[in-house]
Amino acid sequence: MICNNVQCLRSTSHAVPANPVVASHSGFARRVRLSRRCRGYEELASSNAGATGSHNKSARLHICASQSRPLSFNQRWRSFKTAADEQTAKAKDAIGSLPPVQALADAVHIADQKLAPVYNLFKAIGKWWDAQVERYAEFGGEEVKRQWEWKRRTEAERSLWVSIGQFLGMSLLTAFWEAITPVSIFWGAILPLFLAWILYDRPFLSPIIVTLILMAPFKFPPGYNVRLI
């Protein structure tokens, strides 16, 4: 009876209606009927396993195999990973159960217990060092902040005093130059004016010209014989 049903299923599975709508509907209904018949044949095969067990089993496997789907790549990969993890765990257990490995683990555990005070000492030293580094970093940050605030407040004052020093220094140098050079237009006037034009953006406000104007009555007195060079 089972063989006749199998042949009937094969013959009905290859029959394709002409209408595609009817074909899709009939295909869905055929798959439902096949799944129901597959379950019925499994129950029948399990009940009649004594007399016709091998024949029913082959028919059931043939019908169910036609309905099974191949495994996807992800399913195969998960199966492979599960098997690999199981094999790795078994290998670890087997290696860990070896007497040399157990003896080595016991020796390491005993050494850790013996060296626990040393470990604690190093941890305490590390914590103290980290605290000192943090304190120094905070001090350096505060010092840099104070220097920046001081420079920001005193930058204008510093620039003023630097400008005053440069002005007085160049004025004294120009006065010394006027004192040692002869009374001539080139050495006493033209050369200093040329230097002022080169060194300063605003030469008429430079200390060189200001000093020349202040020392002109003493360098070139009225009625004194002035030379060109």
Side-chain angles (χ1 to χ4, degrees):
M1 180 178 179
I2 296 177
C3 295
N4 294 330
N5 291 329
V6 172
Q7 293 176 359
C8 181
L9 290 174
R10 289 179 179 176
S11 62
T12 56
S13 64
H14 292 288
V16 180
N19 192 352
V21 177
V22 176
S24 62
H25 180 71
S26 62
F28 176 74
R30 183 171 62 254
R31 287 194 296 271
V32 173
R33 290 196 299 272
L34 286 175
S35 62
R36 291 178 180 176
R37 290 179 182 179
C38 181
R39 289 195 296 270
Y41 294 151
E42 289 177 355
E43 294 176 357
L44 181 61
S46 62
S47 63
N48 298 328
T52 59
S54 61
H55 183 72
N56 294 335
K57 185 176 181 180
S58 62
R60 182 187 61 192
L61 291 176
H62 179 77
I63 295 172
C64 294
S66 63
Q67 301 296 326
S68 63
R69 294 182 179 179
L71 296 176
S72 63
F73 177 77
N74 293 331
Q75 292 175 345
R76 293 178 182 177
W77 175 249
R78 286 196 295 268
S79 177
F80 174 75
K81 286 184 63 177
T82 303
D85 293 338
E86 291 178 356
Q87 295 297 328
T88 304
K90 291 180 181 179
K92 288 182 179 179
D93 295 337
I95 294 173
S97 62
L98 295 176
V101 177
Q102 292 181 354
L104 180 61
D106 295 337
V108 171
H109 181 67
I110 294 172
D112 289 337
Q113 292 180 350
K114 297 289 185 181
L115 296 176
V118 180
Y119 295 155
N120 295 331
L121 178 61
F122 277 107
K123 287 182 180 178
I125 293 174
K127 290 181 179 179
W128 176 83
W129 180 257
D130 293 338
Q132 297 301 320
V133 171
E134 186 176 359
R135 287 181 56 191
Y136 181 77
E138 292 179 357
F139 171 76
E142 293 295 332
E143 186 67 20
V144 171
K145 184 178 179 181
R146 286 194 295 268
Q147 290 180 1
W148 177 78
E149 290 179 353
W150 181 80
K151 288 181 179 180
R152 185 171 60 87
R153 290 194 305 266
T154 60
E155 186 66 25
E157 183 180 357
R158 187 186 68 84
S159 300
L160 177 62
W161 285 108
V162 169
S163 300
I164 292 174
Q166 292 177 354
F167 189 89
L168 292 177
M170 186 57 67
S171 298
L172 292 175
L173 184 60
T174 305
F176 178 75
W177 174 261
E178 293 294 324
I180 63 174
T181 55
V183 182
S184 65
I185 296 176
F186 176 78
W187 297 103
I190 296 177
L191 184 60
L193 290 175
F194 179 74
L195 293 176
W197 178 69
I198 293 176
L199 297 177
Y200 295 95
D201 296 332
R202 294 182 295 179
F204 294 101
L205 297 178
S206 64
I208 298 176
I209 294 182
V210 172
T211 306
L212 288 178
I213 294 173
L214 294 177
M215 292 192 65
F218 304 98
K219 181 67 176 180
F220 306 102
Y224 195 81
N225 186 15
V226 180
R227 296 182 300 177
L228 181 62
I229 298 176

